[in-house]
Amino acid sequence: MPLRWKIAALAAATACLVALAVGVLVHVWTAMDIRSRAEMDATNTVYSAMEVYRRTGTPAGGAELDPAELPTALRHPAGADRRVAYDGRVEGNLGPSVWGAQRVGGPGSPVLAVRINMSPQLHDLRRLDASMAVASLVSLAAALPLAVYGAALVARRLRRVAETAARISGGDLDARNGPALGRARGRDEVTDIAATVDLMADSLGRRLRIERQFTADVAHELRTPVGGLLAATDLLPPGETEDLLRARVRDLRGLVEDLLEISRLDAGAEAPVRARVPLAAVVAEAVARTGLDTEVTVTGSPAAEHVDHAEHAAASEPVAAAEDGVAAEHVETDPRRLERIVGNLVTNAHRHGRTPVRVTVEGLTVVVRDHGPGFPADLLLDGPRRFRTGAAERGAGHGLGLTIALGQARVLGAELRLDNAADGGAIATLRLPPPPTDTRPPHDGAEADTRRPRP
């Protein structure tokens, strides 16, 4: 149930309780007042009737001597005092009543009694109860829309705060509720919540900026000495030690380059250079560049076939071999960034998963699947994080490959989704955006060449 209906229901229930309490209070007070007035009238009437009886010897003013209906409590009153008693019997329009009685003489003398009928007053009380019930229902009917409207105003403001929090959670660190949320309606709890969310976003943005700046500074500071180390390894005499040291320095240089790339992605300094390219060829080239045993499949075409890039990695023209066997789907994208994404996904699958690793190209979708333990649950929930691989069983690493792939996918306007297969293994699905409706081939009819010389 929406919050506004809960608040409206609570307001309606509160109004009903208040109306019921007021109605009961008025009813009880009025009934007591009617009875008190009837007792006072009975006492005064008995007094007047007694004065007349003593002068004339005849009951007057509706008084009777020892009436048969007189309540038992008044049949034998002690002394000559006037007494009253309530009689709840109802006979037609007569009753309930209040009786007043007094002996006309000493002990054993007749009792002069007067009956005051409360039926008209109690009938008025019932009409008052009905009027109050109708008035309460009318008031409730008028107040309920106002309660719904007031609750909707609060719910709308809370929804705006929730939407802002969702945008912040989705990565939009510039999202804010703004001071207008509080200025228009004064300061209340909703304004405090909105201000707290804005303060949280400011603090989070500050920390992320510090982290990104630190990453960029470290990468820039390390780039020069690492380059010097790599040059120094060229001066070492050939041998096992030189090969080992050179490999470690190259790994360090790759880490620095990854950090620099992440810092550029964080700063929003990356812009795609789009070209119309055959998707299958770009993917095949990216897989071949990894040099890893990976199977590429292009579906959705009669000419589709499997391409084993363990062989193409050693061939001089791997892309040409792949293009000869598949029907290419052309896309408008940045081929360099697309190769970077596919290469990172394939490398991650081999490093953290288990073979066989398969890459499937279908339409505008590229799927990379391994048969290892799959992605850890926290990675699927929170997304990839730098310097965090997620689980020990997925091997060692810096956690930068998926982070870069996700950042480059955002630059291309593509969607990168990470899942686990039901029968085991990790699945990374890259969905490229559809081409613009006014996309035209190059004027010379040739496609963009995505092949680059091997290092």
Side-chain angles (χ1 to χ4, degrees):
M1 179 185 294
L3 178 62
R4 62 175 181 176
W5 291 113
K6 292 181 180 180
I7 297 177
L10 180 61
T14 303
C16 290
L17 290 177
V18 171
L20 180 62
V22 172
V24 170
L25 181 62
V26 171
H27 176 87
V28 171
W29 184 86
T30 305
M32 293 175 60
D33 183 68
I34 290 174
R35 182 167 175 173
S36 176
R37 289 176 180 275
E39 291 176 352
M40 186 179 298
D41 289 345
T43 301
N44 293 335
T45 303
V46 167
Y47 178 80
S48 301
M50 183 61 70
E51 292 293 329
V52 174
Y53 182 80
R54 287 174 179 171
R55 290 196 308 267
T56 64
T58 303
E64 301 178 66
L65 290 174
D66 294 326
E69 299 85 1
L70 187 65
T72 304
L74 299 181
R75 288 186 178 277
H76 305 286
D81 295 334
R82 289 182 291 274
R83 298 179 180 277
V84 295
Y86 175 77
D87 184 4
R89 293 175 298 173
V90 178
E91 299 174 357
N93 293 328
L94 185 63
S97 306
V98 172
W99 289 83
Q102 183 181 2
R103 289 190 181 278
V104 296
S109 60
V111 176
L112 183 68
V114 175
R115 184 177 189 178
I116 304 299
N117 183 21
M118 296 189 301
S119 177
Q121 289 82 2
L122 293 180
H123 177 71
D124 292 340
L125 177 60
R126 287 190 290 272
R127 292 179 60 187
L128 176 63
D129 291 341
S131 299
M132 290 189 63
V134 172
S136 298
L137 292 177
V138 172
S139 300
L140 181 61
L144 186 59
L146 296 177
V148 172
Y149 176 74
L153 293 179
V154 176
R156 188 179 301 117
R157 297 170 65 196
L158 289 175
R159 191 179 302 112
R160 177 177 171 183
V161 175
E163 291 172 353
T164 302
R167 289 171 57 193
I168 295 172
S169 176
D172 184 6
L173 299 182
D174 294 327
R176 296 292 185 276
N177 294 296
L181 188 64
R183 283 203 304 262
R185 302 171 180 85
R187 187 171 183 84
D188 55 13
E189 289 78 3
V190 178
T191 305
D192 293 340
I193 294 174
T196 303
V197 170
D198 288 347
L199 183 61
M200 176 196 68
D202 292 337
S203 176
L204 180 61
R206 238 182 348 261
R207 294 188 180 187
L208 286 178
R209 283 192 295 271
I210 293 174
E211 177 185 342
R212 291 170 178 175
Q213 187 62 42
F214 175 76
T215 301
D217 292 344
V218 168
H220 281 286
E221 292 296 330
L222 288 177
R223 191 173 191 180
T224 299
V226 168
L229 283 175
L230 189 60
T233 57
D234 294 335
L235 304 178
L236 295 175
E240 183 179 353
T241 302
E242 185 268 344
D243 293 339
L244 181 61
L245 183 58
R246 183 184 294 273
R248 292 296 180 265
V249 172
R250 284 178 177 174
D251 290 342
L252 181 58
R253 185 181 66 173
L255 174 60
V256 172
E257 294 297 333
D258 287 346
L259 289 174
L260 285 173
E261 186 172 357
I262 288 178
S263 66
R264 290 193 299 269
L265 290 171
D266 288 340
E270 296 288 297
V273 180
R274 300 186 183 275
R276 190 167 183 267
V277 294
L279 178 59
V282 175
V283 172
E285 175 73 3
V287 173
R289 287 180 182 278
T290 64
L292 300 171
D293 184 8
T294 305
E295 179 183 329
V296 179
T297 303
V298 181
T299 62
S301 170
E305 68 176 19
H306 296 288
V307 182
D308 188 350
H309 285 278
E311 301 175 359
H312 293 310
S316 59
E317 292 294 337
V319 179
E323 288 177 348
D324 290 340
V326 297
E329 173 79 20
H330 291 79
V331 294
E332 191 82 16
T333 188
D334 188 329
R336 182 185 67 83
R337 299 183 191 279
L338 179 57
E339 285 185 11
R340 177 67 159 153
I341 296 172
V342 175
N344 279 15
L345 294 179
V346 171
T347 302
N348 184 81
H350 279 277
R351 179 178 297 169
H352 301 298
R354 285 195 293 268
T355 57
V357 176
R358 296 189 178 94
V359 178
T360 304
V361 181
E362 182 177 2
L364 300 177
T365 303
V366 180
V367 179
V368 179
R369 177 180 177 180
D370 63 52
H371 291 76
F375 293 115
D378 58 343
L379 187 145
L380 296 178
L381 180 63
D382 302 325
R385 299 180 183 178
R386 62 197 71 179
F387 302 112
R388 181 176 179 182
T389 57
E393 63 270 16
R394 285 193 59 84
H398 302 293
L400 301 180
L402 290 180
T403 303
I404 292 175
L406 183 62
Q408 294 290 10
R410 288 173 179 167
V411 173
L412 295 180
E415 176 190 5
L416 179 58
R417 182 178 179 86
L418 306 179
D419 293 295
N420 287 332
D423 55 347
I427 300 177
T429 304
L430 177 67
R431 291 186 177 88
L432 296 173
T437 55
D438 60 344
T439 299
R440 294 185 298 270
H443 295 294
D444 57 0
E447 304 295 346
D449 186 2
T450 62
R451 289 175 289 179
R452 290 176 291 180
R454 292 280 186 88

